[in-house]
Amino acid sequence: MDFVTRGFEGRRRSSDDRLPPGQYLTGDFPVLSAGPTPGVDRAEWELWVATEDGTRHAWSWDELMALPAETVTVDIHCVTSWSKLDTEWRGVSLDTLLADVETAADFALVHSYGGYTTNLPLEDLLDGQAWVAFGYDGDDLPAEHGGPARLLVPHLYFWKSAKWVRGIELMLEDSPGFWEQLGYHDYGDPWREQRYQGD
Ligand SMILES: Nc1nc2c(c(=O)[nH]1)N[C@H]1C(S)=C(S)[C@@H](COP(=O)(O)O)O[C@H]1N2
Ligand SMILES: [Mo]
């Protein structure tokens, strides 16, 4: 009987249910960069977090590698309408990086090598929702996809997942990043189709 079989398969959400409005599925991994791929040497690489009172925390590449890492499998959604399901990343949770950072900030402005920035609420970086990812699909993260390391915030449109991440500025007030200044949405929830300001 058909409905019996469906009962078992129904435990897994179909790919259609995992596709936010206005998105299509792709099996490729498109590269979307607003500028050239910056060459960042792991020996020189550093990740900083600066709080609203100017306190600075920083990790070298070796210090990042010494932190507990996780493998996560997530769906990603680009505002240009492609979505990719079940992408596998390796990275350090922002919960780990921010554990000892004392702040009263509500917002973060993420800075990349090369100058790109993007803003998001600090709470969207916490509680298992964001990683500094350095591995993709069992390998090092390719440079064109943000290697050595990028931010991964899969529950928001993928422009919030800053490639070549270099620092996170914690702020009391929101401040728009690169695409946000050009009219993209401040928050960018793909399920609410928040592509542009006013959506
Ligand atoms: N530093 C930086 N990060 C960036 C971008 C960029 O241009 N520069 N593009 C964003 C956009 S619009 C998307 S869709 C994703 C694309 O990531 P990918 O090239 O690995 O697919 O990176 C985001 N992060
Ligand atoms: Mo994008």
Side-chain angles (χ1 to χ4, degrees), residues 49-55 57 98-108 122-123 126 168-173:
V49 170
T51 69
E52 69 281 6
D53 67 10
T55 308
H57 306 252
L98 297 176
D100 296 326
V101 174
E102 273 185 48
T103 180
D106 286 325
F107 300 95
L122 176 54
E123 65 178 8
L126 301 174
I168 302 173
E169 186 181 350
L170 301 178
M171 305 176 304
L172 300 175
E173 306 288 338

Side-chain angles (χ1 to χ4, degrees), residues 9-187:
E9 288 175 355
R11 287 171 187 279
R12 181 123 181 88
R13 286 168 71 207
S14 76
S15 41
D16 280 355
D17 291 343
R18 294 163 67 186
L19 206 51
Q23 297 291 110
Y24 69 87
L25 282 180
T26 181
D28 303 337
F29 194 176
V31 171
L32 276 99
S33 305
T37 295
V40 192
D41 192 343
R42 284 173 179 73
E44 317 268 294
W45 186 92
E46 145 178 287
L47 175 71
W48 53 261
V49 170
T51 69
E52 69 281 6
D53 67 10
T55 308
R56 214 180 123 95
H57 306 252
W59 296 263
S60 67
W61 185 260
D62 289 346
E63 286 168 339
L64 182 79
M65 292 302 111
L67 295 173
E70 301 170 6
T71 299
V72 291
T73 301
V74 295
D75 301 343
I76 55 179
H77 311 289
C78 173
V79 72
T80 61
S81 296
W82 57 265
S83 290
K84 187 171 173 60
L85 304 184
D86 294 323
T87 59
E88 191 195 288
W89 305 82
R90 188 149 180 86
V92 173
S93 168
L94 267 286
D95 294 309
T96 302
L97 286 164
L98 297 176
D100 296 326
V101 174
E102 273 185 48
T103 180
D106 286 325
F107 300 95
L109 185 64
V110 182
H111 296 255
S112 294
Y113 289 96
Y116 184 88
T117 54
T118 189
N119 59 305
L120 59 188
L122 176 54
E123 65 178 8
D124 285 81
L125 292 178
L126 301 174
D127 296 326
Q129 299 185 92
W131 296 266
V132 168
F134 49 80
Y136 180 78
D137 222 2
D139 274 313
D140 289 349
L141 180 62
E144 68 271 23
H145 288 300
R150 76 179 296 163
L151 191 67
L152 174 66
V153 197
H155 71 288
L156 300 177
Y157 279 125
F158 209 35
W159 89 78
K160 300 284 182 180
S161 293
K163 303 199 277 190
W164 316 295
V165 63
R166 93 184 294 182
I168 302 173
E169 186 181 350
L170 301 178
M171 305 176 304
L172 300 175
E173 306 288 338
D174 200 7
S175 172
F178 176 78
W179 284 118
E180 293 84 1
Q181 289 177 49
L182 292 170
Y184 283 79
H185 200 276
D186 246 359
Y187 187 63

